Amino acid sequence: MTRSVLTEEEEQAILALPTQEVVLRSRQDYLHIGQKTSYACLVIEGMIGRFGQTSDGTRQITAFHVPGDMADLLSIVRPLGIGGLNALCETVILRVPHSALRAVAARYPAIAEAFWRDCMLDAAILMEWVVNVGRRNAQTRIAHIFCEMSIRSGRDREALQAYAFPITQEQLGDAASLTGVHVNRTLKALRDVVTLTNGMVHIHDWVKLTRIGDFDSTYLVGDTFAERQKPLWAAA
Amino acid sequence: MTRSVLTEEEEQAILALPTQEVVLRSRQDYLHIGQKTSYACLVIEGMIGRFGQTSDGTRQITAFHVPGDMADLLSIVRPLGIGGLNALCETVILRVPHSALRAVAARYPAIAEAFWRDCMLDAAILMEWVVNVGRRNAQTRIAHIFCEMSIRSGRDREALQAYAFPITQEQLGDAASLTGVHVNRTLKALRDVVTLTNGMVHIHDWVKLTRIGDFDSTYLVGDTFAERQKPLWAAA
DNA sequence: CGCGAACTTGACTGTAGTCAACCTGCGTGG
DNA sequence: CCACGCAGGTTGACTACAGTCAAGTTCGCG
């Protein structure tokens, strides 16, 4: 919820939500494709991938969710058919019932809007994902993903040098629409600029990486108002 | 707004919104990439494409918006950076100010939820788009797009046989991440199943088309509740 | 009638996929 | 404590789907 500006009281209301901690094993499917859910999940530790699938079973990762992300917030208004969710490594999540989220959204319109905006930021990331997968070559695609995850992984500056990205080359291929073999070759070619080892990304040259990755971070901004807009809902 | 269930009063409130009709020439950019907007636009006639772009200027269409769609509803909560909008043919739209939409959303929570859900359905379509572009071959991609647009174009059964899809092969390539040349060849190969001529799609064998297109329409359903959920916002 | 946009076709190229073998490092059980 | 198994990573040889370039053709419109 760092994507919107909220008041003290609103933040308290969110922190007071009833939650249930769940630990997912690595590779565990938390939500199957087409499965209905009545909880939303907040990632605490680890990483979750959202995926779609073709009929022959090939998976395509459509989003990564890092700690702090609500991975299936959109299920509040559309509980069915939001794709599958899979833990990319051992992952800790907090399950929050839709009913509680609806209650707090009803009481605080600004929170409802923050939820909505959060979903829309995910949608903006998804649009960029289509461009990435559809229009860029292997090197650029992978470099772009590394850039995006760098920004999203850290509020601190040091994520520009190194951050945790606990995935295998095969999974990176599922995200970039490449085979594991080609990811391997591409990473080798990028060796001087960025490396992925043991679930850690090390960026050796950020400027070069953004250039190779055709990366412009503006699509990642959340609340675009310098100050909070008042009243957030024009009438009330 | 056929994607959610609303009461008579709520429908009236939406119909009473202040609007301004605008006619777009074919190929006209209505919204540039990165441009901020304070209106949302409802497509009345024609077709609008949302697109992203790489730094070398290659476009990638990420969504088609047919009459009845709100093409940039998401701009209400995130007015910046929602990609560009381009009229694919001569198109009539209705511009609605954000302020009016916010007002009606604040007064009728069910409408706010319907807006949000509408955005989430677009997001679900976008996820499928990633899978399509990332994981399927040319024939399957194009067939899939034809299937999706068939369902979205018509509430009536006859859209399963023919519907308006006023785009060029080049534009279809921008959507499917293919070159115009390859679209042309692929359409030739699909000739017995589906044809695109003069902005009309004619489907000669729907079953075969869905099979080639690896198409399952469940991701297109909007309001998944058989009846309207009451109360829609749990508290109120 | 003539222009231009869209479509069509052919020949050649290139990026990424496929298949297959092999290496490396880690955790488990004998 | 070592041996084994296995997941993940690495490399090479070959293939194929789609891109590129270039030269037509068709058709609608002024």
Side-chain angles (χ1 to χ4, degrees), chain B residues 159-172:
Chain B
L160 294 186
Q161 283 164 39
Y163 63 93
F165 196 13
I167 55 166
T168 66
Q169 296 182 358
E170 193 74 34
Q171 290 170 327
L172 186 54

Side-chain angles (χ1 to χ4, degrees), chain A residues 38-93:
Chain A
S38 39
Y39 296 85
C41 87
L42 172 70
V43 182
I44 298 297
E45 213 188 295
M47 173 119 53
I48 281 191
R50 176 193 305 287
F51 62 92
Q53 217 167 17
T54 61
S55 58
D56 68 5
T58 329
R59 285 192 172 190
Q60 167 72 49
I61 294 179
T62 57
F64 289 122
H65 287 291
V66 298
D69 285 2
M70 296 286 285
D72 54 356
L73 193 54
L74 78 173
S75 63
I76 295 182
V77 291
R78 200 161 172 277
L80 203 57
I82 57 160
L85 293 178
N86 179 270
L88 299 174
C89 60
E90 178 159 321
T91 296
V92 183
I93 61 170

